[in-house]
Amino acid sequence: NAGVMQNPRHLVRRRGQEARLRCSPMKGHSHVYWYRQLPEEGLKFMVYLQKENIIDESGMPKERFSAEFPKEGPSILRIQQVVRGDSAAYFCASSPGRDMNTEAFFGQGTRLTVV
Amino acid sequence: AQSVTQPDIHITVSEGASLELRCNYSYGATPYLFWYVQSPGQGLQLLLKYFSGDTLVQGIKGFEAEFKRSQSSFNLRKPSVHWSDAAEYFCAVALGFTGTASKLTFGTGTRLQVTL
């Protein structure tokens, strides 16, 4: 059973371009969470999605950032018109449910560099 | 707002020595508490968690953590460190429970180096 797969592992974008980060949850997991880790900081919650629904996006920046988790395919975190400050490691986690006794599994992250 | 402090950015211990990684949180009530480990090139793995009950929590890989309400701490311990424990360790808290990995607030991490 493959773990949470994130791709690409490294992504370089020029200022103003779009960045698309993909997250394939573990098999059987319908809950996905995105986190961002800025340099020298801890991971910060961005968004929580369940298949086709955004459950909680309270950590998402108001502009340029969006996330989706379609019925088929991976979850996508999209950043439009990237700026230098978007350079960070973006982590995805998935879980089979939201019960407190279920565990969420994290991917290896995507390191975004904006030049 | 809740916050998590891991005061030690980097710790070096000898193999076989005991280990304690510090974690302090700032929140008025008892939060849900977690410790994660990230080995190089890997995702974060859950070591243990505390929701309620016994304040001494046992986790995987021989780790344990103790919740001390009076000190707002949740320190991670291991009696004898193995070279394979070299990794980055993250403490995290959740304000209430809204989902297994939802709205976790992470500390900045402690990088553990193990010397032979």
Side-chain angles (χ1 to χ4, degrees):
Chain A
N1 185 13
V4 177
M5 303 301 292
Q6 290 188 248
N7 67 82
R9 292 290 307 280
H10 300 275
L11 181 62
V12 179
R13 284 287 177 267
R14 295 187 184 279
R15 281 178 294 169
Q17 290 185 319
E18 178 180 284
R20 280 181 174 244
L21 287 62
R22 294 175 184 76
C23 171
S24 296
M26 289 181 70
K27 188 177 181 180
H29 288 196
S30 59
H31 298 245
V32 165
Y33 316 80
W34 284 94
Y35 282 80
R36 176 168 67 173
Q37 184 179 27
L38 295 169
E40 309 302 323
E41 296 187 16
L43 282 76
K44 287 185 167 41
F45 169 79
M46 299 181 75
V47 63
Y48 167 24
L49 310 104
Q50 198 175 351
K51 279 287 187 182
E52 299 185 274
N53 292 304
I54 296 175
I55 306 300
D56 184 340
E57 57 181 346
S58 58
M60 286 281 270
K62 294 286 186 286
E63 297 177 345
R64 300 187 297 107
F65 284 72
S66 62
E68 63 177 10
F69 188 17
K71 186 177 180 180
E72 301 291 338
S75 175
I76 305 288
L77 180 67
R78 184 182 176 205
I79 311 172
Q80 295 178 290
Q81 299 176 315
V82 296
V83 301
R84 289 246 169 90
D86 296 333
S87 295
Y90 292 83
F91 290 91
C92 166
S94 74
S95 69
R98 55 180 291 160
D99 180 88
M100 68 167 62
N101 291 315
T102 62
E103 180 180 341
F105 293 84
F106 280 79
Q108 296 172 305
T110 293
R111 269 119 186 117
L112 172 66
T113 302
V114 179
V115 297
Chain B
Q2 66 197 68
S3 65
V4 179
T5 302
Q6 293 181 248
D8 304 305
I9 296 174
H10 186 234
I11 283 183
T12 300
V13 299
S14 301
E15 188 175 39
S18 63
L19 172 70
E20 182 168 27
L21 302 182
R22 296 183 290 166
C23 173
N24 293 94
Y25 65 90
S26 171
Y27 178 55
T30 301
Y32 296 92
L33 297 158
F34 307 79
W35 272 101
Y36 283 86
V37 61
Q38 184 180 28
S39 299
Q42 304 296 313
L44 279 73
Q45 181 183 21
L46 179 66
L47 284 175
L48 46 77
K49 62 190 177 189
Y50 173 78
F51 286 170
S52 64
D54 193 347
T55 56
L56 185 62
V57 181
Q58 301 298 319
I60 62 171
K61 303 186 180 186
F63 285 93
E64 66 178 26
E66 185 172 12
F67 169 60
K68 292 185 177 180
R69 184 191 306 274
S70 61
Q71 298 177 19
S72 296
S73 69
F74 188 56
N75 294 349
L76 182 71
R77 300 193 296 245
K78 186 169 184 177
S80 177
V81 169
H82 188 262
W83 64 267
S84 61
D85 292 325
E88 184 133 25
Y89 292 81
F90 294 92
C91 179
V93 302
L95 175 60
F97 186 76
T98 56
T100 307
S102 180
K103 285 188 170 175
L104 297 179
T105 297
F106 284 81
T108 51
T110 298
R111 183 167 296 278
L112 172 66
Q113 184 175 358
V114 179
T115 57
L116 300 175

